[in-house]
Amino acid sequence: MYTLTFIRGIEIWRIENFRPVLVPASSHGKFFTGDSYVILKTTSLKSGALRHDIHYWIGKDTSQDEACTAAVKTVELDAALGGRAVQYREVQGYETEKFLSYFKPCIIPQAGGMASGFKHVEEKKNETRLFVSKGKYVVHVPFARSSLNHDDVFILDTKSKIFQFNGSNSSIQERAKALEVVQYLKATYHDEKCEVASVEDGKLMADPESGEFWGLFGGFAPLPRKATTEEDANTEPLAPNIEKGCAVPVEAKSLTRQLLKTMKCYLLDCGVELFVWMGRSTSLDERKTACSVAEEVIAGPGRLKGHIIRVIEGFETVVFQLKFDSWPLSTEVTVCDDGRGKVAALLKRQGLNVKGLMKAAPVKEEQQAFIDCTGNLQVWRVNDQSKTLIPSNEQLKFYSGDCYIFQYTYPGDHKEECLIGTWLGKQSVEEEQKAAISMMNRMAEVLKGQAVQAKIFEGREPIQFFSILQSFVVFKGGMSSGYKRYVSETCTVDDTYSEGGVALFRVQGSGPENMQAIQVETAASSLNSSYCYILHSGSTVFTWSGSLTTTEDQELVERLLDVIKPNIQPKAQKEGYESEQFWSLLGGKIGHSIQKIAKDVESDPHLFCCHFSKVQFLIQVTEIYNFSQDDLMTEDFLILDSHASIFIWVGQQVDSKIKAEALSIGEKFVKHDFLLEKLSAETPVFVIAEGNEPSFFTRFFTWDSAKSLMHGNSFQRKLAILKNGVTPPLDKPKRRLPVSYGGRSSAPDKSQRSRSVSFSPERVRVRGRSPAFNALAAAFENPNARNLSTPPPVVRKLYPKSVISESMKLPPTRSAAIAALTASFESEKENLITRSFKAANQVTIPKAASLEVNHKDNSNSMTSRIEAFTIQEDVKEGVEDEEGLPVYPYERLKVSSSHPVTDIDVTKRETYLSAEEFRENFGMTKEAFYKLPKWRQNKHKMALHLF
């Protein structure tokens, strides 16, 4: 019977007696050379739709009748599924990459077959077999010296040993991929109990393993040149029309979408690829006839082995569309399910059940930042070819006419992570945009690839950017020299924001940790019923709530008022109940929009591998289907496209010249829009170096942190794992704090960026510390000092919907806060808790910086974590000063000192402090300080301007 049992995943049928028979899941990936199969791959997209890909696989020994039956059943299955599927003809040894991606690392067809007089041959585990590995293809070739060549990788499977022969012209990637096949053979046919040997082309009998390998072929002899094989022919695409079962050429100067008529079927002959386009108004019989004609064409004399790909009008693949000189960005197609119902009823009588295969529930994912938001942030405004550091309490205020550079350091899983990026305003000048990117690149070079780079445009900011800033305000105009010069030279009106003028802000965001106020034109037409607004004229402030807004939206207005117009009581306006004064400031009442502004949403990700021409700087892009972390090869340059953002992944072994052009290559990828998905030229682009992958990139994979800590994914490392049977020891990278440009860390002023958006100096700083310490500080905070529009600070979940233990939640009372700490420490540590609270309330900025703790540090006990913000009086006292070194006051040792000390070791400024002043500034003795990890020492020194 022909039955479907799953909605998503893979289902396979084997053709038996001209009928499809379901193959059990345990036998998926096992194909016989004498059989034909139908494979259905169903994928649930983020949009809620189901994508169907149907493949029919033809073994080299299958009968013509079976092959034709598989082709016909594929057409019937597509009709039953609504005529939306893409259909592929797969011939043994010439499968498409999409098909092979379902059965990683490879498929090795076995001799035999159910029909055509063949019998399944039992696998001979001890049989000597020779395979050639060509990327994703593995082909069984005759066991003879003549099968070998210098261009490919060969695998010789013997009774007790598996040899991999690497042709001298083969690439590292090809050799590493072949090792995956070796691992598969070892596990499948040898029960993991055999040796593995690697033989390099050119090594003669002197090498023991090489000698053993050649001995199996009767001794060494020079290899012949690789025989000419069937390569892609440079055939001009032809589009014959199918008329009465025959292909009739279409007369046209160029291929355009207008040539294809909905009541006909067409063939597009591209050499290796033969496309069948079926109009939506064609009948099932007409489609079957078109497929039969395609089979005759592909089997013609002198024809190269190739693929037949069948597409339905309105559901054409990107590859098909790119074959045309012009293709509309969108085509309106009316899809009728009447025909599907008739075909489904017909096939149901044959045993096919297609119920539920058409629709899926939309994937409703809460947008997450996947980045720790407790780190340190520095922001610079670009002025011509230089940059100016923005004070911490002003770094959430950007101007549309300016460009900015930001550096954000935060605790990662294994080391300090760093994100360096540019933000380019809509009104900014081109010269300053180029300068911003150039300076960002130089900053990243200093960190030697350890920082993730980001290029961000106003209005296209990713969630990571908003989450870092939490509160974000964009003013009109600009403050930079370039913008002011542009306004002067072009005699345009300078609309730079003025606190005393009239200004209108649209408020948007998802919550206190992600909220923005964007200045818009001061006119009633700028209003939108789906948003709240802030309008001010001098000291007069209005808030306006659209009829479609929620209480959460209105709460964001109150919070952002603290940033734009603090300490002023606003006049609340609701849509439909506005005052005359409100409309007067907007120039009169007119109509406005009610629809929310559309934003780029994340779609299903696609991974591409880039190949670079050695002669010219040409880039060829190849998609990697059903990708995994193992596809990130250290020698490769990859691009991950999620539509909302573009991620450039650069392997460690990539050429340095290509590494330097990574951002430019990403921009070219966006410009060409390879997926024809209407990518905006202002799509955010991230550049990520291998070994420094952030969480907002690794979420697209099933990520193994152990693999990410390895030095590459090279052939040598895979070979070592195979030979030894265990994973070799990992070299864990050291934690390193990225360079702080400008000489000042923003750590002392982190309270300015807390979610409360309150800049009162009396508030206890709670951001960036351990949850237990935050709980204690919040419990003892003076409630009278808090802005009434701001709720008490809470410990925010870094990843929404993640599970947090009870000890991580905010205790509501003082006693509960103390209990949360005392439960984590031994009773003899109570004195540390008392001192912790005492230290937290000190207002000296250097001390506050020294009390910071990275609560993600890999410590084995909470005691070691609390040492970072506790004055260690119980540490054994030693010699406080370096013997023989003079002592200087702290003010003269600072990097920013107006009267600096000379003739000292500038890398050890702290050693010249007296014991008393050292303890006063660092909050610990010198002996305790030098017991800290180097990265933490540098962090303290940076906060005190001694680094």
Side-chain angles (χ1 to χ4, degrees):
M1 298 295 285
Y2 194 2
T3 58
L4 287 173
T5 54
F6 301 99
I7 293 181
R8 301 170 186 86
I10 295 179
E11 293 188 85
I12 302 176
W13 296 268
R14 180 171 52 228
I15 303 300
E16 298 181 10
N17 298 322
F18 307 107
R19 295 177 65 84
V21 177
L22 188 66
V23 175
S26 58
S27 296
H28 284 185
K30 183 183 293 185
F31 296 89
F32 291 90
T33 61
D35 288 335
S36 294
Y37 298 81
V38 176
I39 299 93
L40 171 64
K41 177 68 165 67
T42 303
T43 307
S44 179
L45 304 179
K46 288 191 174 184
S47 62
L50 293 179
R51 185 184 66 206
H52 303 293
D53 293 290
I54 307 175
H55 307 255
Y56 61 105
W57 186 88
I58 302 172
K60 66 182 182 66
D61 298 323
T62 192
S63 67
Q64 185 64 31
D65 290 339
E66 275 194 353
C68 290
T69 300
V72 170
K73 290 301 179 183
T74 299
V75 176
E76 292 179 354
L77 178 59
D78 171 56
L81 295 173
R84 296 168 171 83
V86 180
Q87 305 161 45
Y88 303 84
R89 176 181 182 264
E90 310 286 355
V91 178
Q92 180 181 340
Y94 298 91
E95 296 88 352
T96 63
E97 290 196 6
K98 179 182 280 265
F99 176 79
L100 293 173
S101 70
Y102 305 152
F103 310 102
K104 292 183 178 181
C106 64
I107 60 172
I108 302 178
Q110 302 171 26
M114 288 297 296
S116 306
F118 285 91
K119 293 183 178 180
H120 286 174
V121 179
E122 291 295 325
E123 299 174 25
K124 297 180 180 179
K125 293 189 176 181
N126 298 333
E127 179 185 8
T128 299
R129 299 176 296 174
L130 181 64
F131 302 94
V132 58
S133 177
K134 302 179 180 180
K136 296 180 175 65
Y137 298 91
V138 179
V139 180
H140 191 187
V141 294
F143 175 37
R145 186 190 294 109
S146 58
S147 297
L148 304 175
N149 61 61
H150 299 291
D151 300 308
D152 296 318
V153 180
F154 293 84
I155 300 169
L156 181 61
D157 184 13
T158 69
K159 178 179 179 180
S160 59
K161 203 168 194 176
I162 302 177
F163 296 87
Q164 176 168 316
F165 176 81
N166 301 313
S168 57
N169 297 331
S170 62
S171 68
I172 294 295
Q173 293 96 317
E174 290 173 329
R175 299 178 185 188
K177 286 291 183 184
L179 278 176
E180 296 177 6
V181 179
V182 172
Q183 176 62 60
Y184 171 78
L185 292 173
K186 181 180 178 181
T188 305
Y189 299 100
H190 297 272
D191 299 325
E192 301 284 358
K193 298 175 182 177
C194 73
E195 296 182 42
V196 174
S198 174
V199 178
E200 295 297 322
D201 186 8
K203 285 188 177 181
L204 304 182
M205 305 291 288
D207 181 71
E209 292 182 337
S210 180
E212 185 180 357
F213 173 79
W214 287 113
L216 295 170
F217 289 91
F220 173 79
L223 296 181
R225 289 182 177 272
K226 184 177 180 180
T228 303
T229 57
E230 298 170 346
E231 300 292 344
D232 292 1
N234 294 324
T235 307
E236 290 295 326
L238 302 175
N241 174 32
I242 306 299
E243 294 285 355
K244 297 181 180 180
C246 298
V248 179
V250 175
E251 298 293 336
K253 293 182 179 180
S254 63
L255 289 178
T256 62
R257 171 63 178 84
Q258 288 71 26
L259 291 174
L260 306 178
K261 308 302 180 183
T262 187
M263 72 290 297
K264 294 184 179 181
C265 295
Y266 297 83
L267 299 184
L268 181 64
D269 191 352
C270 302
V272 171
E273 295 173 322
L274 179 61
F275 292 92
V276 181
W277 185 90
M278 296 173 283
R280 183 146 297 275
S281 299
T282 56
S283 66
L284 184 61
D285 289 336
E286 288 174 326
R287 297 179 187 182
K288 289 181 180 180
T289 301
C291 295
S292 298
V293 173
E295 292 283 352
E296 294 175 3
V297 172
I298 204 77
R303 180 80 189 192
L304 301 178
K305 294 286 186 181
H307 311 127
I308 296 178
I309 303 174
R310 306 194 295 232
V311 296
I312 305 294
E313 179 184 4
F315 298 92
E316 298 87 352
T317 64
V318 172
V319 175
F320 178 82
Q321 296 177 30
L322 291 174
K323 301 294 183 183
F324 287 73
D325 298 324
S326 63
W327 191 276
L329 292 178
S330 61
T331 305
E332 294 295 331
V333 177
T334 302
V335 179
C336 180
D337 285 344
D338 292 343
R340 170 185 176 265
K342 294 177 181 178
V343 175
L346 173 65
L347 295 182
K348 188 175 183 180
R349 291 195 293 270
Q350 301 178 8
L352 172 63
N353 180 16
V354 296
K355 184 178 180 180
L357 282 173
M358 287 303 299
K359 299 179 180 178
V363 179
K364 297 181 179 180
E365 293 183 351
E366 182 180 352
Q367 195 175 22
Q368 301 181 39
F370 293 97
I371 190 170
D372 189 309
C373 300
T374 63
N376 298 331
L377 177 68
Q378 289 180 292
V379 181
W380 295 265
R381 178 184 293 113
V382 175
N383 284 295
D384 290 330
Q385 299 300 315
S386 61
K387 62 183 188 295
T388 304
L389 184 66
I390 305 297
S392 298
N393 60 342
E394 294 291 323
Q395 63 188 10
L396 53 79
K397 300 176 182 179
F398 284 34
Y399 285 83
S400 185
D402 295 340
C403 296
Y404 296 84
I405 301 173
F406 62 91
Q407 176 179 292
Y408 181 65
T409 57
Y410 59 97
D413 292 334
H414 304 284
K415 61 179 180 178
E416 291 284 339
E417 304 287 352
C418 182
L419 174 63
I420 298 177
T422 60
W423 184 90
L424 310 179
K426 290 182 178 179
Q427 298 176 272
S428 61
V429 297
E430 184 178 355
E431 292 78 8
E432 290 189 337
Q433 290 183 5
K434 293 179 179 178
I437 295 173
S438 177
M439 284 186 279
M440 175 190 69
N441 288 336
R442 290 199 297 269
M443 292 169 65
E445 288 174 4
V446 173
L447 299 178
K448 298 180 179 180
Q450 294 190 41
V452 175
Q453 293 177 255
K455 181 182 178 183
I456 298 171
F457 290 89
E458 178 187 352
R460 297 277 180 173
E461 297 89 350
I463 183 64
Q464 292 80 18
F465 179 80
F466 287 146
S467 297
I468 289 171
L469 289 167
Q470 298 195 343
S471 301
F472 182 54
V473 181
V474 178
F475 298 114
K476 280 184 168 292
M479 306 295 289
S480 68
S481 304
Y483 176 79
K484 296 298 183 184
R485 185 168 54 252
Y486 169 79
V487 170
S488 175
E489 293 175 353
T490 57
C491 298
T492 56
V493 177
D494 187 356
D495 58 354
T496 300
Y497 171 76
S498 171
E499 291 187 7
V502 181
L504 178 66
F505 295 87
R506 182 181 68 246
V507 176
Q508 60 191 36
S510 59
E513 71 286 348
N514 172 21
M515 55 184 180
Q516 304 89 46
I518 313 299
Q519 186 178 359
V520 295
E521 292 295 330
T522 309
S525 59
S526 297
L527 299 176
N528 188 311
S529 300
S530 298
Y531 296 93
C532 295
Y533 289 79
I534 297 173
L535 172 66
H536 75 70
S537 176
S539 59
T540 302
V541 180
F542 291 93
T543 62
W544 185 84
S545 302
S547 59
L548 301 179
T549 59
T550 65
T551 54
E552 289 79 8
D553 296 329
Q554 295 159 17
E555 181 184 348
L556 298 185
V557 173
E558 296 298 321
R559 292 175 176 274
L560 286 167
L561 274 173
D562 289 341
V563 180
I564 299 173
K565 282 291 183 179
N567 304 320
I568 295 181
Q569 185 66 32
K571 300 177 181 179
Q573 310 281 301
K574 289 186 178 181
E575 183 174 2
Y577 301 92
E578 300 87 350
S579 65
E580 289 296 328
Q581 185 182 7
F582 176 82
W583 291 122
S584 175
L585 291 175
L586 292 179
K589 181 179 180 180
I590 58 175
H592 57 263
S593 176
I594 63 173
Q595 298 293 331
K596 267 203 167 185
I597 300 173
K599 289 188 176 182
D600 282 339
V601 295
E602 195 171 89
S603 62
D604 298 275
H606 296 261
L607 184 66
F608 298 89
C609 183
C610 297
H611 307 279
F612 301 91
S613 171
K614 295 182 179 179
V615 180
Q616 297 178 342
F617 196 70
L618 299 176
I619 307 173
Q620 181 183 1
V621 177
T622 305
E623 182 168 2
I624 300 175
Y625 299 100
N626 296 296
F627 60 83
S628 66
Q629 184 182 355
D630 290 331
D631 291 310
L632 304 180
M633 303 288 289
T634 189
E635 298 83 10
D636 284 343
F637 185 103
L638 304 172
I639 299 177
L640 191 145
D641 180 0
S642 71
H643 184 73
S645 298
I646 302 297
F647 301 89
I648 311 298
W649 185 89
V650 185
Q652 294 178 359
Q653 303 302 318
V654 171
D655 184 84
S656 58
K657 293 181 180 179
I658 296 177
K659 287 182 179 180
E661 296 294 327
L663 187 59
S664 299
I665 294 171
E667 293 169 350
K668 291 179 181 178
F669 180 89
V670 172
K671 180 180 179 181
H672 284 84
D673 191 12
F674 287 97
L675 291 176
L676 303 179
E677 55 181 335
K678 304 178 185 178
L679 265 184
S680 168
E682 298 179 348
T683 301
V685 177
F686 295 88
V687 178
I688 301 166
E690 179 187 8
N692 296 280
E693 296 86 355
S695 297
F696 55 84
F697 174 78
T698 60
R699 67 190 176 92
F700 293 105
F701 303 81
T702 301
W703 197 259
D704 184 348
S705 58
K707 290 181 180 179
S708 67
L709 293 178
M710 293 180 180
H711 293 310
N713 190 18
S714 65
F715 164 76
Q716 291 82 3
R717 180 169 289 275
K718 283 189 175 182
L719 181 61
I721 296 173
L722 273 176
K723 284 187 173 183
N724 301 330
V726 295
T727 303
L730 302 179
D731 295 326
K732 186 174 180 180
K734 296 180 180 180
R735 299 174 66 94
R736 176 187 176 190
L737 185 67
V739 177
S740 176
Y741 292 87
R744 178 180 175 85
S745 168
S746 60
D749 299 314
K750 284 198 295 182
S751 61
Q752 307 291 356
R753 296 176 49 243
S754 68
R755 66 183 297 170
S756 64
V757 199
S758 175
F759 304 119
S760 171
E762 298 178 4
R763 289 184 59 83
V764 176
R765 285 187 281 271
V766 299
R767 186 171 182 175
R769 297 178 178 172
S770 69
F773 187 84
N774 284 346
L776 185 65
F780 282 87
E781 183 181 1
N782 179 11
N784 297 326
R786 182 182 294 118
N787 189 317
L788 295 180
S789 66
T790 305
V794 298
V795 178
R796 177 161 46 85
K797 300 179 182 180
L798 298 182
Y799 304 108
K801 297 185 178 180
S802 62
V803 179
I804 297 184
S805 63
E806 291 299 322
S807 61
M808 296 289 284
K809 296 180 180 179
L810 178 66
T813 62
R814 179 180 305 187
S815 60
I818 297 176
L821 284 175
T822 54
S824 303
F825 303 99
E826 300 85 348
S827 57
E828 58 268 21
K829 299 295 182 180
E830 291 180 357
N831 59 328
L832 294 181
I833 299 173
T834 305
R835 289 195 297 273
S836 298
F837 172 62
K838 181 179 179 180
N841 285 277
Q842 297 189 18
V843 296
T844 305
I845 289 180
K847 282 190 177 182
S850 68
L851 302 182
E852 185 181 4
V853 61
N854 173 13
H855 57 78
K856 282 194 174 184
D857 188 40
N858 296 326
S859 301
N860 293 326
S861 66
M862 188 67 76
T863 304
S864 60
R865 274 180 270 177
I866 200 172
E867 288 176 355
F869 56 82
T870 306
I871 299 177
Q872 301 289 325
E873 294 184 354
D874 55 346
V875 176
K876 181 179 179 181
E877 296 290 340
V879 178
E880 295 288 343
D881 301 325
E882 290 288 331
E883 187 173 354
L885 290 179
V887 174
Y888 295 100
Y890 167 68
E891 292 299 326
R892 293 194 61 193
L893 289 171
K894 290 194 302 182
V895 176
S896 57
S897 174
S898 59
H899 183 50
V901 180
T902 58
D903 299 328
I904 62 171
D905 186 348
V906 294
T907 65
K908 298 182 178 181
R909 295 176 182 269
E910 75 283 356
T911 60
Y912 299 92
L913 289 171
S914 66
E916 181 180 351
E917 201 165 13
F918 190 97
R919 183 197 297 269
E920 180 182 350
N921 286 279
F922 283 88
M924 65 185 78
T925 63
K926 287 187 178 181
E927 184 175 351
F929 175 78
Y930 289 115
K931 288 182 179 180
L932 297 175
K934 190 67 176 179
W935 69 269
R936 186 169 286 177
Q937 293 180 24
N938 291 339
K939 192 169 185 178
H940 284 298
K941 289 162 65 175
M942 289 170 63
L944 294 171
H945 303 181
L946 295 175
F947 187 79

